Structures are given as C-alpha cells and as structure tokens.
Amino acid sequence: SQTIHQWPATLVQPVGSPLSLECTVEGTSNPNLYWYRQAAGRGLQLLFYSVGIGQISSEVPQNLSASRPQDRQFILSSKKLLLSDSGFYLCAWSVRAQGGHEQFFGPGTRLTVL
Amino acid sequence: AQSVAQPEDQVKVAEGNPLTVKCTYSVSGNPYLFWYVQYPNRGLQFLLKYITGDNLVKGSYGFEAEFNKSQTSFHLKKPSALVSDSALYFCAVRASWGWGQGGKLIFGQGTELSVKP
C-alpha cells in the first residue's frame, strides 16, 4: 500500500531563517506531487506541483521554492522566512489511473514563523 | 476557468439527523468531483469521488454524494450524523482533461460540520 510522509511535524522558526520541508511517498512510482499551504485552518492554496524529477510548476509567486531530486521526494524550501509564511503545509500525491485521479495527502507540517 | 463553491461556512446538525454539505462547481467539459474530510491538525482524507457512471456515489464512513449535472452540484450527504463526523469538509473538482495540467484540483473553501449530541 502507498504511504506519504512529511517532516517535521511542527516547526518554529525565526523570521529570516531558511526552511526545508520534506515529503516522501512509498509504494508507488512516477506520482504527481503537490505542495499546499493552509492558512487559518480553512482554504487550501496550491503552491507547487511536479509531474516528474526536476519538473516543478509554481502556482503562486512567493518566497518559497520546491525541488524534486528523486521520483518520490518533494522538498519545499525558503532562503529567508517571512511572518506570512506561517501555516499548515500539506504534501499530496496522485497517479493517473483508470477510474480516478484523486490526491492523497500527508499528515502536514505546522510552521510558525516568529 | 474552473471553480468550486461551498456556500455554507458552517453546518450544524443534531446527532442522528441527516446531513447535507453543499457544493457547486464550474468546469469546461466533464467534471471529476471529490470530497475530502479534515480533522484538526491532520491532513485531508479522501471520502469519495465521481468520475462517470451512477450519479449517486457511495464513499467512506457512510457518506454519499449526488452528482447533478443540470444544477452543477455535488452535495455530500449522510442519512444519520454522528458526533465523530464533526470536521472540516472540502469539495474539489477538475476537468476530465486536466491531467495535462498536472492533475491539479480546485478546492472549495471548506465547510465546518458540527454534530451535536
């Protein structure tokens, strides 16, 4: 069966510090991968998606970047965090399959920037 | 453009009563529709989907949803609510041709369901 991991689970960082969040998927190959941010416990904002190694599409211009160094690894980074980067970060995966293309989400990382 | 609307920020029902969480969508072409549930400080859990076929779709935890093409709606329903159903619910859509755009889903803003004993 497929599983998705995110770490760390929680993170408190000072303004101006760097960021690296990691997401890995097990049990599938060549997935599409996604990074979302959820602010104030409500709406999801798609930040980046990737359809393959080294292929990153950015949805919203901002202080963040993403990389996909391996097929099942997706990393979210920042060189200098802003207060507005605080939120709940979710990674998700999907595969193109007969019958549907739902996304499956990881447990999330709660980021607080002080 | 694709869009999803969840017109109610909050839905309150008594335990044992039926519940409905509303969702309407706009997409060019045939829609793929999804419902997710989120418990506090957790990731989203997939509940059910409509791709094609029967308009009534059954999913996890006794939930079902009805696809109505003429009303462009995909309301989530459950015949008898449980206190443990209290959570945040998201509707999502993408066009059937959307895999070429990375399979992106468009999410609604979420509806908070509160089930009281």
Side-chain angles (χ1 to χ4, degrees), chain B residues 1 10-13 29 34 45 47 61 69-70 72 85 87 90-92 112 117:
Chain B
Q10 190 174 43
V11 170
K12 295 182 179 180
V13 298
F34 307 86
Q45 294 179 32
L47 279 178
Y61 312 119
K69 188 172 183 178
S70 62
T72 62
D85 293 329
F90 289 97
C91 180
E112 185 178 353

Side-chain angles (χ1 to χ4, degrees), chain B residues 68-80:
Chain B
N68 187 316
K69 188 172 183 178
S70 62
Q71 297 185 6
T72 62
S73 67
F74 190 55
H75 301 331
L76 182 70
K77 300 180 180 183
K78 188 173 183 181
S80 179

Side-chain angles (χ1 to χ4, degrees), chain A residues 32 34 36 38 41-44 46 49 51 59 88 90 94-96 99-103 105-107 110, chain B residues 9 32 34 36 38 41-44 46 49 51 88 90 94 99 101-105 107 109-112:
Chain A
N32 281 12
Y34 310 86
Y36 291 87
Q38 186 177 30
R42 292 307 287 260
L44 294 169
L46 179 61
Y49 69 90
V51 299
E59 288 293 293
F88 193 47
L90 292 161
S94 68
V95 292
R96 187 175 193 171
H101 311 164
E102 59 269 32
Q103 293 180 16
F105 285 78
R110 174 75 60 190
Chain B
D9 285 341
Y32 288 176
F34 307 86
Y36 289 83
Q38 185 182 32
N41 295 309
R42 304 290 294 275
L44 276 67
F46 169 71
K49 65 185 176 187
I51 303 297
L88 189 57
F90 289 97
R94 75 165 180 86
W99 193 251
Q101 294 185 341
K104 295 185 294 182
L105 298 181
F107 283 86
Q109 286 301 300
T111 297
E112 185 178 353

Side-chain angles (χ1 to χ4, degrees), chain B residues 11-115:
Chain B
V11 170
K12 295 182 179 180
V13 298
E15 187 174 30
N17 283 1
L19 70 87
T20 298
V21 182
K22 296 180 180 178
C23 171
T24 59
Y25 68 90
S26 175
V27 66
S28 58
N30 294 321
Y32 288 176
L33 294 155
F34 307 86
W35 274 102
Y36 289 83
V37 60
Q38 185 182 32
Y39 296 98
N41 295 309
R42 304 290 294 275
L44 276 67
Q45 294 179 32
F46 169 71
L47 279 178
L48 52 79
K49 65 185 176 187
Y50 172 82
I51 303 297
T52 187
D54 290 340
N55 290 341
L56 185 63
V57 178
K58 295 188 182 296
S60 306
Y61 312 119
F63 284 95
E64 58 189 27
E66 186 168 10
F67 170 63
N68 187 316
K69 188 172 183 178
S70 62
Q71 297 185 6
T72 62
S73 67
F74 190 55
H75 301 331
L76 182 70
K77 300 180 180 183
K78 188 173 183 181
S80 179
L82 300 173
V83 172
S84 57
D85 293 329
S86 298
L88 189 57
Y89 290 80
F90 289 97
C91 180
V93 68
R94 75 165 180 86
S96 58
W97 45 263
W99 193 251
Q101 294 185 341
K104 295 185 294 182
L105 298 181
I106 307 300
F107 283 86
Q109 286 301 300
T111 297
E112 185 178 353
L113 174 65
S114 178
V115 182

